[in-house]
Amino acid sequence: AKAVASPMTPAQVTLHLDRTQASLTRTLENAIPRTVRLASTLTDAQVARFMTDRVKRQQERQHDFATESKTQMLKEFREKMNERLVFWIGKVKPAQEPLIAQWAEWQYEMMPPWLEFQEAWTKELARLMKQRQDPDFGKELTRLLQQGDGLMDGRFTGYTDQSRQRTIQWLSDLSQSMDLSQRAHLYTLLKDYAEDFEAMIRSR
């Protein structure tokens, strides 16, 4: 909240993204053992239902990308980003519309490798779930959850690294473009979240 009160450089954005990622990693590491224990108790019917739903959603995304025009998908990506920005910074200014358009182009560019990765990840999960009683099941599922972007010979890792660098510069550019009312909106939102977290800590 203090940082967003002023325009942020890429280095400042990187610092806060790194801290956020470290927090998410700790949360994931705490949740994975529970996830593995739960997965090992599922029945065949439960696994079938879960995988059927995941595969169906994956196929729907692939179908949408294959059948929708680029113009329509870019429009949808712009609308989604605009909605997110309205939540975080309030009314979007005309000068920020090129940033939204740029983000939409990146999303469209990343869709093919992302869909390919999601398909590979889902297939690997389906393979593991058939081996729930194997001694190495817990280790293998943990590996998939922690290091899943290493699938496809690590090709997707390159895309995620590229996306991260783009995101850092984009967030810095967005920060530079914000006016005082947008900074106040974002500051208040983040400050409220901080107060919520403090209240959670006190109530433990």
Side-chain angles (χ1 to χ4, degrees):
K2 293 177 181 177
V4 300
S6 303
M8 297 177 69
T9 65
Q12 289 174 304
V13 173
T14 299
L15 173 65
H16 289 286
L17 280 182
D18 286 346
R19 288 175 173 172
T20 301
Q21 185 59 54
S23 179
L24 291 173
T25 297
R26 289 193 301 272
T27 301
L28 184 63
E29 289 175 346
N30 188 44
I32 283 178
R34 296 175 173 83
T35 303
V36 171
R37 288 196 297 270
L38 174 62
S40 65
T41 69
L42 297 178
T43 66
D44 290 343
Q46 289 172 322
V47 171
R49 179 174 179 176
F50 173 79
M51 293 306 307
T52 296
D53 178 67
R54 184 174 181 88
V55 170
K56 179 182 178 182
R57 285 185 284 121
Q58 172 71 12
Q59 291 173 341
E60 288 173 348
R61 288 191 290 262
Q62 291 172 330
H63 177 267
D64 289 345
F65 185 73
T67 57
E68 285 190 25
S69 67
K70 179 179 179 180
T71 300
Q72 179 61 27
M73 294 205 75
L74 289 176
K75 179 176 179 289
E76 292 172 1
F77 288 148
R78 289 195 300 269
E79 289 173 350
K80 288 179 182 177
M81 177 51 72
N82 191 77
E83 289 175 4
R84 294 182 185 128
L85 288 181
V86 167
F87 174 81
W88 286 104
I89 66 175
K91 185 178 179 180
V92 176
K93 310 299 181 183
Q96 292 161 335
E97 291 178 1
L99 284 172
I100 296 177
Q102 183 183 51
W103 182 268
E105 287 284 351
W106 288 346
Q107 290 293 99
Y108 186 83
E109 177 187 328
M110 285 291 293
M111 279 298 287
W114 184 79
L115 288 171
E116 183 184 11
F117 167 74
Q118 287 293 313
E119 183 175 6
W121 197 94
T122 299
K123 286 181 178 178
E124 179 63 8
L125 178 63
R127 183 188 70 81
L128 289 178
M129 293 306 292
K130 293 177 182 177
Q131 303 174 359
R132 299 189 302 286
Q133 306 309 317
D134 288 3
D136 291 336
F137 171 72
K139 181 176 68 177
E140 290 297 306
L141 182 57
T142 298
R143 175 190 56 79
L144 180 64
L145 295 174
Q146 288 183 330
Q147 304 167 350
D149 61 352
L151 293 172
M152 306 190 312
D153 299 322
R155 279 184 289 134
F156 194 75
T157 304
Y159 289 113
T160 54
D161 290 344
Q162 179 190 60
S163 180
R164 174 181 168 81
Q165 293 307 311
R166 285 178 171 180
T167 299
I168 289 170
Q169 185 61 55
W170 189 88
L171 288 172
S172 176
D173 292 342
L174 177 65
S175 175
Q176 302 287 334
S177 75
M178 290 165 56
D179 62 21
L180 288 177
S181 66
Q182 291 174 323
R183 294 188 196 287
H185 182 105
L186 180 56
Y187 173 86
T188 300
L189 194 62
L190 292 173
K191 189 169 180 292
D192 287 346
Y193 278 128
E195 291 173 353
D196 288 343
F197 290 135
E198 288 174 352
M200 291 179 191
I201 292 172
R202 289 194 300 269
S203 65
R204 286 194 307 178

